[in-house]
């Protein structure tokens, strides 16, 4: 079984060809970063127009890379939400048109399910597993029991963790996107110089909060008394911030591991997914936590943690195998919580 995946929910225009043998035959990601950089964030209208302009070429490039004709594809999967609606509409329309023209099944994939199932593509992880989903728009701990079968253990009370990285980096003048910029600056910084808070650490439950940490970063910047941070100050703030995030997230994961282990004693695996999962400091903390608790730690390669279409194609395969295809009247969704997938299927 071979599926074409299309991803257009944020600022990456992507197409990939993946087989049910878990081979990624093509994986094209066109990043619109340069188009958005001047604005310090993703501009939805610019994103939608850029998707429209390049998606045809990106899909063509994926087919050519995989050396395969549309006729030999078994299904076409596209992100149907959640995300910036203009982009999601472009991807959905393209997938539907191709599916109708080539008489192929169409699968509307939930972007979060794409992230959630990536570890099954890369590491053949079996259900059930505990998932930490950390991206620019999402920050959740979930029990993953099967395609479409998710149970939320915790979520953020304010910002998503990637958002905290992006906003802090902006305040520090490190540019966009903030995650990779902070990680790079942190390499040369002193993580002990600033004693930033570890929100909710030591408290029961699996929820997150990052707004207090963000405020502390702002105060640390103000205290330097200058408009532009010196390189040393920026590096030290970045390192201290990153250490606080990693420690906070690991603390929340420790509680989730305990809760998950009680409910699913046979599922001793923690999977991390989403753009922030590319962060090395976070990976190290989580890996140490897993070693301590007897859990296996699975982190897909960074290029498959950030937005891509291979994860959409793979989620398409998982759904197609179960006969879960969609009709041409599927309406793109700006909001689409993972937990709703269960009621969708019922
Ligand atoms: O999954 P993703 O590519 O897009 C969303 O669905 O949101 O995640 C993007 C987020 C951004 O907030 C970005 O700053 C963050 O992931 N990110 C990182 C790193 N690489 C990307 N955060 C921390 N460290 C990184 N190395
Ligand atoms: Zn994403």
């Amino acid at each position: 079984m071979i599926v074409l995946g299309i991803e257009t929910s944020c600022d990456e225009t992507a197409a990939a060809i993946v087989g049910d043998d878990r081979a990624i035959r093509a994986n094209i990601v066109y990043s619109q970063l340069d188009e958005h950089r001047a604005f310090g964030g993703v501009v939805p209208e610019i994103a939608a127009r850029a998707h429209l302009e390049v998606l045809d070429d990106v899909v063509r490039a994926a087919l050519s890379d995989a050396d395969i004709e549309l006729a030999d594809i078994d299904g076409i999967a596209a992100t149907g939400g959640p995300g910036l609606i203009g982009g999601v509409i472009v991807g959905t329309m393209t997938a539907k048109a191709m599916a109708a023209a080539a008489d192929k099944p169409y699968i509307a994939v939930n972007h979060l399910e794409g992230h959630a199932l990536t570890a099954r593509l890369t590491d053949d992880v079996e259900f059930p597993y505990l998932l930490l989903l950390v991206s620019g728009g999402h920050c959740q701990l979930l029990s993953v029991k099967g395609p479409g079968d998710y149970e939320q253990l915790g979520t953020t009370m304010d910002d998503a963790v990637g958002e905290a990285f992006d906003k802090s980096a902006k305040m520090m003048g490190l540019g966009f996107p903030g995650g990779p910029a902070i990680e790079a600056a942190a390499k040369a910084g002193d993580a002990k110089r600033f004693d930033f808070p570890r929100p909710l650490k030591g408290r029961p439950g699996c929820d997150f909060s990052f707004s207090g940490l963000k405020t502390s970063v702002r105060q640390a910047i103000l205290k330097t008394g200058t408009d532009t941070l010196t390189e040393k100050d920026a590096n030290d703030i970045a390192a201290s911030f990153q250490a606080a995030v990693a420690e906070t997230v690991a603390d929340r994961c420790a509680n989730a591991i305990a809760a998950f282990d009680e409910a699913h004693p046979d599922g001793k695996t923690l999977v991390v997914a989403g753009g922030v999962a590319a962060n090395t400091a976070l990976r190290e903390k989580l890996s140490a936590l897993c070693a301590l608790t007897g859990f296996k730690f699975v982190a897909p390669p960074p290029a498959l943690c950030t937005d891509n279409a291979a994860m959409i194609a793979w989620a398409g395969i998982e759904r197609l195998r179960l006969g879960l295809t969609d009709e041409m009247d599927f309406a793109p969704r700006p909001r689409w919580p993972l937990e709703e997938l269960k009621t969708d299927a019922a």
Side-chain angles (χ1 to χ4, degrees), residues 159-240:
D159 291 344
V161 61
E163 201 179 347
F165 268 99
D166 292 337
K167 287 179 178 167
S168 299
K170 196 168 182 176
M171 290 190 284
M172 293 161 65
L174 288 181
F176 172 83
I182 287 192
E183 175 159 22
K187 283 208 173 78
D190 174 6
K192 297 216 165 69
R193 178 163 156 211
F194 296 92
D195 188 18
F196 290 141
R198 273 70 171 151
L200 298 176
K201 190 180 167 194
R203 300 246 220 111
C206 309
D207 286 334
F208 301 84
S209 166
F210 293 103
S211 67
L213 179 54
K214 204 177 56 191
T215 307
S216 302
V217 169
R218 177 175 297 121
Q219 281 162 352
I221 296 170
L222 288 175
K223 243 188 228 161
T224 64
T226 55
D227 282 344
T228 38
L229 292 175
T230 65
E231 197 175 322
K232 171 153 182 19
D233 284 346
N235 292 346
D236 290 348
I237 292 174
S240 304

Side-chain angles (χ1 to χ4, degrees), residues 111 115 135 307 311:
H111 178 85
H115 281 303
S135 71
D307 287 350
M311 69 180 192

